[in-house]
Each structure stands twice: as C-alpha cells, then as structure tokens.
Amino acid sequence: MEVGAYFKLSNFSLLAPRFLPSPNNQFSTNLFQSPRISLCKATVKQSLTNMEQTMKITNHEDNLDIELSSLISLCPLDGRYWNKAKELYPFMSEYGLIRFRVLVEVKWLLKLSKIPEITEVPQFSVEARSFLQGLIDGFSINDAEEVKKIERVTNHDVKAVEYFLKQRCQSHPEISKVLEFFHFACTSEDINNLAHALMLKGAMDTVVLPIMDKLITALCDLATENASVAMLSRTHGQTASPTTLGKEMAIFAYRLSRERHDISNIQLLGKFAGAVGNYNAHMVAYPNIDWPQIAEEFVTSLGIHFNPYVTQIESHDYMAKLFRSIIQFNNILIDFDRDVWGYISLNYFKQITKAGEIGSSTMPHKVNPIDFENSEGNLRVANGGLNQLSDSLTISRWQRDLTDSTVLRNMGVELGHSIVAYKSALQGIAKLQVNEACITTDLDKSWEVLAEPIQTVMRRYGVPEPYEKLKELTRGRAVTEASIKEFIGGLEIPEEAKTTLMNLSPRTYVGAAVELANDIKAAINLVVASSG
C-alpha cells in the first residue's frame, strides 16, 4: 500500500509521509510521493498591527490518521507535543517566516511611494494600497506553497518572495508599472532580519509572555492561598527554621516576574542598510535622499527598534540577550520544578488524579510527579538550544557569512520546548493539593528548630556561650517540647523574654513569612511599575 501525505497544520506544511503497512506487512518504501490526503487544514487570519490570530482547524479524516502522522514526526513539537506548541506555528514556522518576508517587501514598496524624490513610484491610490495590504492580510498557506514552488527554481528563498509578489501584482494597472521597486536597493538580509524580528515579536507578545504571566499568577495564587501554612525549611536537605509554604512559592513568583519583565523590555532591533550597511546602492540611485533617516523611519514603523551600525546583517546582539534572559527564566522554573518534586516526595503535596490515569505500570499506589519532570526536561532541552543560539548568532565573519541563517531556523524549536515546559508546570500546579496533616506532623516532631531563637535571645541578655549550650541540648539527642521548655525555664533572662520563648512552637516560629507571602502581588506590581 503506497501512502504519502502532507501533514498540514496551523499555517505550515510539514512533510509527513505515513508509515502504513503494505499488504505483505512490509512498510512502504515509497515514502515521498505526491500528497494524496490532507489530514488537517488550518487557516490563520492575522491582524499584522496587533498580532492577534484566530485559528480554524478542520479535520478531514479521523483522529487515528492524525495520530499515525504524529508518530513519524522527527521533532516531538510536531508530534507528541503538538497540542502544547501549536500556538507558535503562525509565527515561528517556515510559513511564518515567508509571511513576514512578504510583509516587509510590501511595506517597503509602500514606503518608497511616499518619498517625494522617488518620482518613479508615485503615491498609490486608495485601491492600490488596499490591494497591497490585502497581500499581507490575506496571505495563506497556499500562498506560502506557491513561494516554495518558485524557490525550487530560483534556489533562493527571498528572491522567491520577490517573484511571487511581482506575479501577484503584474495585472494591477498601477502596481505593475513599478514592479522593479519590489526589493529596491535591498539585500536579502534587509528583508530577513526584519522578518525574524517580527517573528520573535509576534511569538513573544502573543504566546510566550502571556504563558509566563499565567505561571507567575498561578504561583502568586499558590502563595497567598497558603500564606499561613507553616512548614519546615530544609537547608542542606536537613531540618531548619520553619517557613510557610506560601512564602516559598512567593519567592519563585517574584523571581520569575523580574525575569519576565526584563525579557519584555529587551529591544528588538532591525536594519535596512543594504549589502554592507552603508546604503551604497541607495545613494548611487538617489543621492539626495537621507537614506539612514528613511531606513530608521521604515524599521520603526514595523514596531522594531533601529540599529544604525551594521554590516550586511543586524548583529543579533539583542537576540543573544533575549535568549539568555529566557534561559534565566527557565532556570528559575527548573529550580521550582525540583523543589515541588521534593515536596511531593515528602508528601507535603498530594496530586489530584483523574479516573483511569496510571501512575506506574507496575506499582498501582504511585502517582508520579510527571508534569514537573516533563517541565524540567523540556526546559533543559530549550536551554541547550538557546545557549547555542546565543553563542553563535553574535559571530559573523567580516561583513557576512551564512552561519546564522541555518541557526536562526531553530528559534521556534527552543521557544517551543519552553512553551511545552511552561504548560506542563501549569498542569502540575493545577493538580497540587496541600497535605497540611503531613506538614504539621513534621513540624510537631521538630522542636529542635527552636534552638535558633532561644540562643539568639540568650545572646541579647548576655548569657555566656548560648550557642554551645543549645548545641549540647540538641545535637544527637531527641528534642521534645518538654525538654525545650525545661531548658527555657532554667534561663536567667527577663520573665517577659522567657514568656515569649515559652509561647513559641515550630508552628508559630515563622517570622514574617505570612506577611511576605500575602504581599507578593503588591511586590510584583512594583516590579512591573519599575520596569516601565
């Protein structure tokens, strides 16, 4: 049985021939035939001013077909994790790259028509401008496939976009007269660097930052809801001064919020200065135009900050900064994942289960913390790739080499694994159920933690060798409420201080933890305000 299919999903085509058995139970070796079945078709209508999207997916065959296709995907983001990563595809896929290239080329032609000195491109009529805008707003998967067909002839992806636009506009009475001003004075990287910046802008604003915000909100809620739930700390893995569960969650909410707002304030940069960054061709063709000013106006009109000093490429320093900041956000989340994993192992958290779910294939009693493990694993994969991007993108031989071109195609992979991780962590948080009984039992068995406040009060009132006396009382011995209170009773300190110590218990010795947890949302609001 000879089967080949395109797996069409969310505005981008992934060649995914299905491995189905032939009549003699041998897998088909004729894997890359022309498509016969369109499994899933999606259209994305994109407002390019606010990056909003609506996705409409229509299944043409049953779920089994989709499952079979995902089984042979080389990348788990296109297979197992498709449902978690699919929001990125309108931006970070090959389709997204082509669509933004079209946007830049069309906007540049419109910009040229507004420069009085370029008399060869007069102001377009309202109808012509609407026609050009329609090429952007209506850009479809079929359009992207047409560009790819042209590329198979040109063997140049950006030139294919230029030819596509000329073909679309050749019958228009106004635009057909200025077709050669598509890509005027541009090098491919003028188009590409802005397309990449717009891809990142769309992905960050529409997908990544909103999910980061959901994580921070979930942790804030976990913090305030459990602000008063006292629990043992564990420094070096051993019993330590009590805290509250809420305050420990607040720490992660605050750390993540700081990174999130640092990320949102990173300026995405763009260039439009020609083959080596000097506007050489521009100035020969139109020497009386202030081309650096025109370039700045054009780049900033797209919502991108302007980089005036470049070679053929924009130097990608902002990308390195962005990716390293995402790495830091991810590292903080790994720290959270591991801490919660540990609290689950201590039985401080139970996990809400669903009927029919299996925790372990052999041990029926187990409910594994798989969401936090999945989150950690995907974060580590993402960070490895983001680190490679950060290290390699800022290096380019002389005025240009193509190393960055292939590397940049992996941006979506690393963001995709980050998104999978964020959603897994959110899924895990939603399953958490605080086991206060277990937490309290541990506290009630740990009266030795009061050695810290007792010896500190002894220091205040001049009792000699307070640390050593508490060390003798607590280290290597069973410490109980009775033994602690007997020790306090024998201290030569003011009665008021003695009463304060007598009233302490592991449950109440939490310092300002409750207030810190309850104040977390206000603290994060200050971070937001200070970041502008």
Side-chain angles (χ1 to χ4, degrees), residues 208-229:
V208 180
L209 291 175
I211 296 177
M212 287 180 172
D213 288 339
K214 287 182 181 179
L215 265 172
I216 294 164
T217 297
L219 289 173
C220 282
D221 291 342
L222 204 56
T224 54
E225 289 165 8
N226 299 284
S228 301
V229 178

Side-chain angles (χ1 to χ4, degrees), residues 230-244 247-248 343 346 348 443 446 449 509:
M231 74 172 194
L232 285 177
S233 292
R234 280 178 166 77
T235 57
H236 306 280
Q238 301 180 64
T239 299
S241 300
T243 182
T244 73
K247 185 262 179 175
E248 298 312 302
Y343 292 136
L346 292 173
Y348 284 10
L443 280 167
S446 304
V449 297
Y509 180 49

